Structures are given as C-alpha cells and as structure tokens.
Amino acid sequence: MEEFFEQLFKSQHCVALTGAGVSTLSGIRDFRGKNGLYHEVDAEKMFDINYFNRDPSIYYNAARNFIYNLDEKEPSIVHTTLAKLEQKGILKALITQNIDFLHQKAGTKKVIEIHGSPAVHYCRECGSPEEPVMDFYQAAAVVKTGKMPLCPQCGAVLKPDITFFGENLPVRALHNAHWESNQADFMLVLGTSLTVHPAAGLPELTLRARGKIAIINNGETPLDSYASFRFDDLETVFSALSQQI
Ligand SMILES: [Zn+2]
C-alpha cells in the first residue's frame, strides 16, 4: 500500500474512474449485486427509453425510493478522500458511472458523468438538457408526492438527464473522459468491475498511452493482470490514504 501511495503522490496527471462499488459505501444499492435492486425493480425496464416514451410513470414510480431519496445519502470516505486529492492538486479529473452526485456533494469539482445525472430535469418537447427546467431537489419534491414533474411551458412530463438504455451517451462527457484517460499517467479504477462500456475501455486508453493503473474493486476485473496495484477493499485503502493527505 505504501508503494501505491508513493506512486499516487508522484503522479503528474492522476485520473479516477468510479463505479457502483463507491456508492454502496454510502448505502446506495447496487443493481446487480447480491442485494441488488434488480431483485425488486425491473431496472432494464425503468431505464429503457422506449418504456419511458410509452409511460414515464414506470420510471418515476420505480425511482421514487432510490433516485429521489439521494438527498438523504452522504459521501463516504472514498468520496471525501478523492475530493481532498483534487484539492491537493493530485487528482486532475474524476470520471464516474454513478448517477448519485455524491462526488460533487463531497466537494470534487471536476466530475465527468458518463451516464448522465438526475441533477437536471428537462423538457423533451420544448427544451433540451442544456435548458434544465428543474434541478434534482425540485423534481424530488414533486416525485415524493406521487406525481410526475411537468414542464411549466407545455405540460409534458420532464425527463431526468440520466442516460437510459436506448439513448446515446452524453457526447461531451464521453469526449472529456477519453481525453483524460489518454492524458493520465496514473488511473485509479475504483468500485467497478469494468464490464460495462464505455467505462470498461477507459483504463485501456491509459495503458496504451503508457500510463499505470491501480484497481481497487471487490471482485475480479478483466484488466487485473495489467494493474500495477490491485486491492479488494476500498474502505481499507481509502481510510489509510486519508491519513496520508
Ligand atoms: Zn415543455
């Protein structure tokens, strides 16, 4: 672990890539894990754009108790330590697959969300994601009463700026993620099994550009044999790391 810290502190352009394993430490449930949400809600359906087009209440009813309660969740030691690493100038960018904005809540400034975010709700009839109609808190206040957030202009049901199955990934975020991965001389791969694209391909960009990667994940990943450092337990490593910075 000492060698890992040393490498981290001497890196010139460190980039982190985070997945669901980082969020579970904050009590946010994973989809696919042992206690995964797939057992209760049909996430394939709820995040499918075809279903949303037909009946947005499928999404809003399913999301009420795990997307629209995110205001009750707190950043973990991993989130706060990453924010500290950015403040110290060590971490240059953070790419996340998560849609829970806990990195921002912890204070990280440069967060690249490659699966979008529920922080923005927009109208698909008369607006775009660049013209948010409601933020997370405004939308959550409506959803918690059992209703759906509507556009004040045209009355259409708003859509969260989460990337649904069947939608294109956010172009700008993806471009930034590729750029940062190419620049990185050290990438921290945290809490992701690297099975879902495009995230799975990002550490490969770093490796191809002769950067090093560290993988901390509770479970195997396809890139384990290419990692300079490999740990299982995020909480242990980040508790120790937080003492060093
Ligand atoms: Zn509208």
Side-chain angles (χ1 to χ4, degrees):
M1 221 186 276
E2 291 305 317
E3 275 172 51
F4 165 59
F5 294 157
E6 202 178 299
Q7 183 73 44
L8 173 63
F9 296 145
K10 76 175 188 200
S11 67
Q12 297 297 307
H13 197 101
C14 178
V15 173
L17 170 65
T18 69
V22 170
S23 294
T24 49
L25 291 176
S26 289
I28 292 170
R29 292 169 62 197
D30 190 2
F31 282 121
R32 297 178 186 80
K34 197 167 45 165
N35 299 311
L37 276 161
Y38 274 113
H39 300 296
E40 281 165 44
V41 298
D42 190 346
E44 301 281 358
K45 238 187 214 179
M46 90 177 260
F47 288 119
D48 186 318
I49 195 62
N50 294 313
Y51 281 95
F52 191 87
N53 290 339
R54 228 175 295 156
D55 180 3
S57 71
I58 294 172
Y59 162 77
Y60 281 110
N61 284 330
R64 184 171 301 122
N65 292 323
F66 86 99
I67 297 277
Y68 295 98
N69 66 350
L70 284 174
D71 48 336
E72 298 158 17
K73 305 292 179 185
E74 292 301 327
S76 70
I77 184 98
V78 180
H79 296 107
T80 54
T81 305
L82 287 167
K84 239 195 271 177
L85 284 173
E86 185 188 56
Q87 276 166 23
K88 299 270 178 197
I90 297 165
L91 185 71
K92 298 294 193 276
L94 192 156
I95 304 163
T96 188
Q97 297 171 272
N98 300 334
I99 52 169
D100 51 38
F101 48 87
L102 284 172
H103 288 298
Q104 289 93 329
K105 209 170 185 178
T108 301
K109 299 278 184 276
K110 188 152 184 192
V111 182
I112 301 168
E113 296 169 304
I114 54 176
H115 290 168
S117 166
V120 165
H121 285 68
Y122 69 101
C123 179
R124 299 194 296 165
E125 297 298 326
C126 69
S128 73
E130 284 70 43
E131 304 162 282
V133 178
M134 288 189 191
D135 64 16
F136 171 82
Y137 298 94
Q138 292 167 314
V142 177
V143 176
K144 281 176 179 174
T145 66
K147 298 193 182 115
M148 294 192 279
L150 304 177
C151 174
Q153 300 294 328
C154 74
V157 176
L158 300 180
K159 184 185 173 290
D161 195 20
I162 298 166
T163 309
F164 279 38
F165 299 114
E167 280 191 305
N168 292 325
L169 292 161
V171 175
R172 188 190 298 257
L174 215 51
H175 173 85
N176 290 340
H178 283 154
W179 194 86
E180 292 294 346
S181 303
N182 273 317
Q183 292 297 309
D185 63 343
F186 197 38
M187 180 182 273
L188 309 178
V189 179
L190 310 173
T192 167
S193 54
L194 295 176
T195 48
V196 180
H197 276 275
L202 297 173
E204 286 176 7
L205 294 178
T206 302
L207 289 167
R208 236 175 276 161
R210 304 195 179 282
K212 292 189 161 98
I213 63 172
I215 298 177
I216 312 177
N217 186 54
N218 187 7
E220 287 179 7
T221 85
L223 293 183
D224 285 351
S225 58
Y226 299 94
S228 301
F229 302 94
R230 178 69 179 87
F231 304 99
D232 284 332
D233 192 52
L234 273 167
E235 208 168 7
T236 307
V237 177
F238 272 77
S239 298
L241 179 56
S242 71
Q243 307 291 314
Q244 305 262 333
I245 53 175

